[in-house]
């Protein structure tokens, strides 16, 4: 396990190196270790650009300290344009032409699932940094895919536990009409009904991703007269929904729980229009005082002149994952790295992270709190850190959902 002392040793000393999938090749003798990274940089820059800065910081810290067992890390990043077909072609090029040692990244769930299948077919380790679909580690899970970020189920369960405490039973949902949105609504319903069997879901809205008709959506939700709303929109869709709902009074006297809305990528752009009193998952980076996190924030600010975002933390932890799995494996052989990923653990700025052997999901958590506006800016208050390990099903439940390797 990589503790704080171990992380310092990585930054100041050495980490093992990488080689292409399947075997240690001649590249092991080179001075540069290549990592293939795929993401939707132009499609969703609000999240992916901070993510890029996060992994750049981690790579620079390692390389400035002598690299990985004396070798420099080089991340070869490619933009998939938000299209699964592009991502698969890029993966092929990275493995075949660039001879990267493993694949990492992706944001959108449908792209993450495409690379999940590619990893299985080509027997290459894939560390899925950001995509949230539950299928990646459950119904579509495979031997070669591991996911870092807290999943849709995990974050929906965090919000469902808070929703169960409310004295209301009639709920409506709004979510983008693709894998992530569907998973989120299903998970929220399942967990909330388990905790509070008398709840009813009386309305569902499924706007197309980034094409929300906010007026029509708000009117439909208002007509249903729910007591609570579960929101899964993000980015530009979230801004339109918040603005239209506020104008029409949709949120007046209603409870709202909202996935990801407390993340700076989505909360900051709302400025003074940020909603009051929504229960959200997010990242209150300004107020977290744990030593390792404070040091990380300072290093990030020194390098980029700005505060980190949620994506920054994910990018940083991605490189820590790669570093620790090679150290634990003691090799760059793909099969040895895959074996080492099971129950891999390390300390990070967000706390201890463990990759479960049963489903390859990490226990990286999220912060849960309420939104408010202070000095013209939306922030999270009354927050707590929800350890991901507390919001995952047990090994037996996972076994029933996940195909055998």
């Amino acid at each position: 396990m990589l503790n704080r002392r171990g992380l310092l040793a990585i930054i100041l000393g050495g980490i093992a190196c990488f080689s292409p999938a399947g075997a240690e090749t001649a590249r092991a003798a080179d001075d540069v270790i290549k990592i293939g990274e795929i993401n939707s940089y132009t499609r969703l820059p609000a999240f992916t650009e901070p993510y890029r800065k996060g992994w750049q910081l981690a790579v620079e810290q390692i390389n400035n300290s002598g690299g990985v067992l004396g070798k420099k890390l080089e991340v070869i990043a490619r933009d998939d344009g938000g299209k699964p077909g592009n991502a698969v072609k890029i993966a092929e090029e990275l493995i075949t032409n660039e001879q990267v040692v493993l694949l990492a990244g992706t944001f959108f769930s449908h792209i993450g699932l495409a690379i999940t299948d590619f990893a299985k077919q080509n027997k290459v380790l894939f560390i899925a940094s950001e995509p949230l679909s539950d299928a990646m580690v459950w119904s579509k899970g495979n031997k070669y895919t591991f996911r870092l970020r807290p999943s849709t189920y995990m974050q929906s369960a965090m919000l469902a536990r808070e929703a169960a405490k409310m004295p209301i039973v009639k709920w409506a949902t709004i979510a983008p009409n693709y894998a992530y949105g569907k998973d989120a609504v299903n998970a929220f319903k399942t967990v909330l009904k388990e905790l509070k069997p008398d709840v009813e879901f009386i309305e569902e809205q499924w706007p197309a991703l980034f094409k929300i008709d906010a007026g029509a959506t708000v009117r439909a939700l208002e007509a249903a007269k729910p007591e609570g709303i579960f929101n899964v929109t993000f980015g530009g869709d979230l801004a339109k929904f918040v603005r239209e709902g506020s104008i029409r009074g949709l949120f007046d006297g209603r409870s709202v729980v909202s996935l990801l809305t407390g993340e700076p990528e989505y909360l900051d752009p709302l400025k003074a229009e940020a909603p009051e009193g929504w229960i959200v998952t997010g990242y209150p980076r300004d107020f977290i005082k744990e030593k390792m996190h404070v040091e990380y924030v300072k290093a990030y600010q020194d390098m980029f002149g700005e505060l980190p975002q949620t994506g920054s933390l994910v990018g940083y932890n991605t490189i820590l994952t790669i570093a620790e799995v090679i150290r634990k494996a003691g090799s760059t052989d793909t099969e040895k790295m895959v074996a080492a990923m099971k129950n891999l653990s390390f300390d990070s700025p967000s706390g201890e992270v463990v990759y479960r052997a049963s489903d390859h999901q990490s226990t990286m958590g999220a912060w849960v709190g309420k939104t408010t506006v202070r000095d013209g800016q939306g922030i999270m208050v009354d927050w707590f850190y929800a350890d991901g390990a507390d919001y995952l099903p047990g090994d037996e439940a996972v076994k029933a959902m996940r195909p055998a390797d």
Side-chain angles (χ1 to χ4, degrees):
M1 171 177 161
L2 178 61
N3 56 23
R4 285 176 173 79
R5 184 176 298 173
L7 178 58
L8 183 60
I10 284 175
I11 294 174
L12 296 178
I15 313 164
C17 59
F18 312 101
S19 73
E24 296 184 80
T25 70
R27 179 157 299 281
D30 293 347
D31 293 332
V32 176
I33 308 302
K34 292 185 177 183
I35 301 163
E37 200 281 325
I38 305 169
N39 230 307
S40 302
Y41 289 107
T42 55
R43 191 69 179 89
L44 196 67
F47 196 99
T48 55
E49 285 303 325
Y51 161 84
R52 190 205 304 265
K53 292 176 180 177
W55 63 249
Q56 285 175 333
L57 172 60
V59 169
E60 178 160 304
Q61 287 179 331
I62 292 168
N63 286 347
N64 285 348
S65 304
V68 179
L69 289 185
K71 303 178 189 296
K72 299 289 186 180
L73 294 184
E74 179 185 351
V75 175
I76 301 178
R78 296 286 187 266
D79 185 355
D80 58 42
K83 298 179 180 179
N86 288 352
V88 171
K89 290 178 182 178
I90 290 167
E92 291 172 347
E93 187 268 335
L94 288 170
I95 293 295
T96 302
N97 297 337
E98 298 292 349
Q99 294 188 327
V100 298
V101 303
L102 55 81
L103 297 173
T106 74
F107 178 88
F108 293 111
S109 292
H110 57 311
I111 296 176
L113 287 167
I115 301 302
T116 293
D117 185 63
F118 176 89
K120 178 182 178 180
Q121 299 302 323
N122 292 273
K123 298 182 179 180
V124 56
L125 176 59
F126 172 40
I127 298 172
S129 305
E130 304 176 79
L132 298 177
S133 173
D134 297 320
M136 294 191 64
V137 293
W138 293 345
S139 64
K140 302 293 184 181
N142 64 62
K143 175 181 178 180
Y144 295 95
T145 298
F146 295 78
R147 198 243 308 278
L148 169 64
R149 206 170 173 216
S151 69
T152 302
Y153 178 91
M154 295 162 73
Q155 295 197 56
S156 296
M158 294 171 190
L159 293 175
R161 287 194 190 180
E162 299 306 303
K165 301 172 186 177
M166 300 174 183
I168 59 176
V169 294
K170 293 184 178 181
W171 285 86
T173 66
I174 169 175
N177 191 18
Y178 79 118
Y180 160 63
K182 293 175 181 179
D183 283 352
V185 169
N186 182 62
F188 182 79
K189 284 182 174 181
T190 299
V191 177
L192 184 54
K193 285 182 177 181
E194 288 174 354
L195 297 172
K196 197 169 184 176
D198 59 338
V199 297
E200 300 176 63
F201 288 89
I202 60 175
E203 176 64 25
E204 295 180 356
Q205 287 292 303
W206 300 98
L209 181 64
F210 300 144
K211 295 180 180 179
I212 189 173
D213 182 341
T217 298
V218 167
R219 286 193 296 272
L221 291 171
E222 173 61 34
K225 305 298 181 187
E227 298 171 296
I229 299 171
F230 175 54
N231 170 63
V232 191
T233 62
F234 59 95
D237 287 350
L238 172 67
K240 293 175 183 177
F241 176 60
V242 169
R243 188 170 298 116
E244 190 71 19
S246 297
I247 291 171
R248 295 180 179 273
L250 174 65
F251 312 126
D252 296 346
R254 288 194 172 94
S255 299
V256 180
V257 294
S258 191
L259 206 60
L260 310 182
T261 303
E263 297 185 352
E265 289 89 333
Y266 311 127
L267 189 58
D268 288 355
L270 297 176
K271 300 187 185 298
E273 291 185 312
E276 288 277 359
W278 286 20
I279 297 177
V280 298
T281 57
Y283 176 37
R285 77 257 164 118
D286 307 71
F287 309 106
I288 300 168
K289 301 305 181 185
E290 280 77 6
K291 183 176 183 292
M292 193 170 181
H293 184 269
V294 171
E295 292 172 350
Y296 156 75
V297 170
K298 183 180 185 304
Y300 191 94
Q301 287 182 299
D302 288 346
M303 187 169 180
F304 300 109
E306 62 190 37
L307 285 168
Q309 310 277 354
T310 309
S312 312
L313 190 59
V314 175
Y316 192 84
N317 284 352
T318 297
I319 297 300
L320 295 191
T321 297
I322 292 169
E324 178 61 9
V325 70
I326 299 302
R327 184 204 66 79
K328 180 182 176 184
S331 171
T332 58
D333 177 82
T334 294
E335 297 301 327
K336 291 179 180 178
M337 289 192 293
V338 167
M341 281 296 301
K342 296 180 179 182
N343 294 318
L344 182 81
S345 64
F346 61 92
D347 274 359
S348 80
S350 56
E352 184 187 29
V353 175
V354 179
Y355 284 86
R356 304 201 315 173
S358 61
D359 57 6
H360 299 187
Q361 171 63 49
S362 99
T363 61
M364 181 178 173
W367 289 265
V368 179
K370 294 181 180 179
T371 56
T372 192
V373 176
R374 184 178 297 168
D375 298 325
Q377 181 61 57
I379 62 169
M380 282 179 69
V381 295
D382 301 332
W383 52 267
F384 65 93
Y385 182 71
D387 187 336
D390 297 331
Y391 298 87
L392 280 164
D395 290 350
E396 287 303 313
V398 166
K399 187 176 181 181
M401 294 186 287
R402 182 181 167 90
D405 289 333

